[in-house]
Amino acid sequence: MLVQELDCLILSSIRDTSLVEEALQIMKRDSIGYLLVKCVDTRMPEVVTWDSALEALKNSVSLNEPVKRISRKNFETIEGNRTIDEVDFKENSFFVVLGEKDSVLGILTKEAFFEYKIKSLKAERDMLSQIIEYSPNCIYVADEKGNTVLANKAWEELSDIKRSDVLGMSIEVIEKMKMYYPAITPVILKEKRKLSILQRYTNGKTTLVTGVPIFDDSGRITRVICNAKDLDEINSVTKYLNESSTGNGKQDDKIHSHGKNLIIASNVMKRIMNSLVQVAKADSTVLITGESGVGKDVVAHYIHENSPRVNHE
């Protein structure tokens, strides 16, 4: 993201002939601590701050004097086409953001910038939490001591275990209670490497669990992330793929489509036609691609003829 795209830039301004009192009123009205002062004789504006205005009043500057008397002429600038990762305030409390031909886009303050960064990080964290929560993969996370710190909705549905019952609980205690077993996390913490095991739950389901250790910069494990897959589902998919690749014995080499015989000679075409049988059952749009003359129309007719929509256009 570019600096000029930030929505926290201060755009309020005042002419250098305006009074100090007007500047304070604008800053109070807009709840800002900085204000651009547009100068009649120069393109580059000056800046007045709330603190500098109050300090000037303490030093006998009148509210009825021109704001130019208390405005700052020396300050750091930054180009608006810089990325926000290039912003480095160091000892600066603000930057004047410049656009093309040194046009002034606004003021970027240190407070507003870091507030924006915090909001952005929170938004990214919330988005990541949503991705984990609604992922179709069963995700389970433990900390470096083997305590449960996260389990998503898919894991809860697979295991039939309420997350509230295991969060904060030691994996070893969970294993002793036979909620699921054997536990993979203690082994990963000991061996410090990725592992996979078969794990059983109290609801009778068997899962293939793969655990991965997460390390910090010093090489210490901070988290163990586990992904569980229902073994019955794995076996069903494997069976389907095997049948699709070898043929299930129920498809003839001649497949009728709108009164025409399709002569299937190669194993590749047999696998394709077997897949079309499954595709035809799905109530969804099918995209068929290929060069001209390869038979896209024939395939489309075959899918239609073997679909629930065969009696419709």
Side-chain angles (χ1 to χ4, degrees), residues 34-46:
Y34 300 80
L35 188 64
L36 288 169
V37 179
K38 293 184 177 180
C39 301
V40 176
D41 53 352
T42 62
R43 290 186 59 187
M44 184 62 66
E46 297 176 3

Side-chain angles (χ1 to χ4, degrees), residues 229-245:
K229 298 179 181 178
D230 190 336
L231 198 60
D232 288 339
E233 291 185 5
I234 295 175
N235 291 335
S236 295
V237 172
T238 302
K239 181 180 178 182
Y240 168 74
L241 292 176
N242 288 336
E243 290 178 351
S244 297
S245 62

Side-chain angles (χ1 to χ4, degrees), residues 249-267:
K250 297 180 180 180
Q251 299 296 321
D252 295 327
D253 282 351
K254 289 186 177 182
I255 301 178
H256 298 278
S257 177
H258 287 271
K260 297 180 180 180
N261 289 334
L262 295 179
I263 308 302
I264 307 300
S266 70
N267 290 329

Side-chain angles (χ1 to χ4, degrees), residues 39-209:
C39 301
V40 176
D41 53 352
T42 62
R43 290 186 59 187
M44 184 62 66
E46 297 176 3
V47 176
V48 62
T49 70
W50 180 267
D51 291 339
S52 65
L54 294 182
E55 186 64 27
L57 292 176
K58 291 180 181 178
N59 294 325
S60 302
V61 174
S62 171
L63 289 172
N64 295 321
E65 292 191 53
V67 71
K68 186 176 179 65
R69 181 175 175 184
I70 63 171
S71 59
R72 292 178 54 175
K73 300 175 179 60
N74 299 317
F75 45 78
E76 295 292 330
T77 62
I78 187 171
E79 296 176 357
N81 59 6
R82 294 282 190 90
T83 66
I84 60 174
D85 292 332
E86 296 179 84
V87 177
D88 186 0
F89 280 93
K90 293 183 179 178
E91 298 180 358
N92 300 310
S93 59
F94 71 93
F95 287 109
V96 171
V97 182
L98 302 180
E100 295 182 358
K101 298 180 180 180
D102 289 337
S103 60
V104 177
L105 303 179
I107 298 174
L108 176 62
T109 68
K110 187 175 184 178
E111 295 84 354
F113 179 72
F114 284 108
E115 183 178 344
Y116 165 81
K117 294 283 283 186
I118 291 171
K119 287 182 179 178
S120 297
L121 290 173
K122 184 179 183 300
E124 290 179 7
R125 183 196 65 188
D126 292 344
M127 177 59 69
L128 180 59
S129 296
Q130 291 291 309
I131 291 172
I132 293 173
E133 175 64 9
Y134 294 104
S135 170
N137 296 316
C138 303
I139 300 173
Y140 188 97
V141 183
D143 63 17
E144 72 281 3
K145 296 180 180 179
N147 298 319
T148 306
V149 295
L150 184 148
N152 71 347
K153 184 178 181 181
W155 182 88
E156 189 175 56
E157 292 174 349
L158 174 68
S159 64
D160 287 332
I161 299 173
K162 292 183 179 180
R163 286 174 282 183
S164 57
D165 292 341
V166 296
L167 289 178
M169 186 180 293
S170 167
I171 301 295
E172 294 179 350
V173 173
I174 293 173
E175 185 178 29
K176 289 179 181 178
M177 295 175 65
K178 298 295 184 181
M179 288 185 175
Y180 61 78
Y181 55 92
I184 191 174
T185 300
V187 183
I188 293 176
L189 290 173
K190 181 180 179 180
E191 299 188 11
K192 297 185 177 182
R193 63 187 179 93
K194 176 181 176 181
L195 293 171
S196 295
I197 63 168
L198 292 179
Q199 195 173 77
R200 288 185 62 84
Y201 292 90
T202 53
N203 60 6
K205 289 185 178 180
T206 300
T207 62
L208 175 63
V209 178

